[in-house]
Amino acid sequence: EVQLVESGGGLVQAGGSRRLSCAISGFTFDDFDGDYIIGWFRQAPGKEPEGISCINIADGSGHYADSMKGRFTISSDNAKNTVYLQMNSLKPEDTAVYYCAAEEWGFCPDPRDSAIRVSGSRGQGTQVTVSS
């Protein structure tokens, strides 16, 4: 069973940075036992979930939603079985619960429309609050 645990959230001032971590168990990045994609999403109160970025574990290639390009960077550490989301120049509108999800044999991005879609296990999320 694949399990994901996010960490790194908290309160940050506008203009600041934060790095979120997604620690994954249930498969090992380096063992190539399956072809996984990992995605980062966020959901603000009263809003629909929003895809931020995804990464192909097999080759480390990442993709970003158009609205997220420039301020967010996804990366992975195979030795730690962890995916990161570096967030810079944060704005109050970035306030949300951020969560990661994993899917075996998924597509990053979705070839139909280049959207960030990950159907599979997800973590509980970590709250990021950006103060003005």
Side-chain angles (χ1 to χ4, degrees):
E1 179 186 4
V2 176
Q3 295 184 323
L4 305 95
V5 178
E6 302 91 342
S7 61
L11 178 63
V12 60
Q13 288 190 331
S17 298
R18 205 79 181 180
R19 189 178 79 159
L20 305 182
S21 299
C22 174
I24 301 167
S25 60
F27 73 95
T28 303
F29 286 16
D30 278 341
D31 284 354
F32 301 103
D33 52 351
D35 189 2
Y36 281 89
I37 63 169
I38 309 297
W40 277 102
F41 300 82
R42 69 184 184 185
Q43 187 168 19
K47 294 189 176 182
E48 293 292 315
E50 184 176 22
I52 301 169
S53 180
C54 59
I55 188 168
N56 292 284
I57 295 301
D59 63 9
S61 60
H63 179 79
Y64 301 87
D66 287 342
S67 60
M68 306 296 176
K69 291 178 180 177
R71 297 191 299 123
F72 295 84
T73 303
I74 194 169
S75 62
S76 64
D77 185 330
N78 286 9
K80 295 183 178 180
N81 243 53
T82 299
V83 173
Y84 302 98
L85 184 70
Q86 177 68 42
M87 307 185 295
N88 299 324
S89 302
L90 286 165
K91 307 173 183 178
E93 50 264 43
D94 293 318
T95 295
V97 173
Y98 287 72
Y99 62 94
C100 54
E103 180 180 358
E104 189 175 14
W105 310 116
F107 293 94
C108 169
D110 190 318
R112 295 170 294 182
D113 57 4
S114 297
I116 310 298
R117 292 192 182 92
V118 179
S119 300
S121 302
R122 57 163 285 184
Q124 292 297 310
T126 185
Q127 175 72 44
V128 174
T129 301
V130 184
S131 62
S132 57

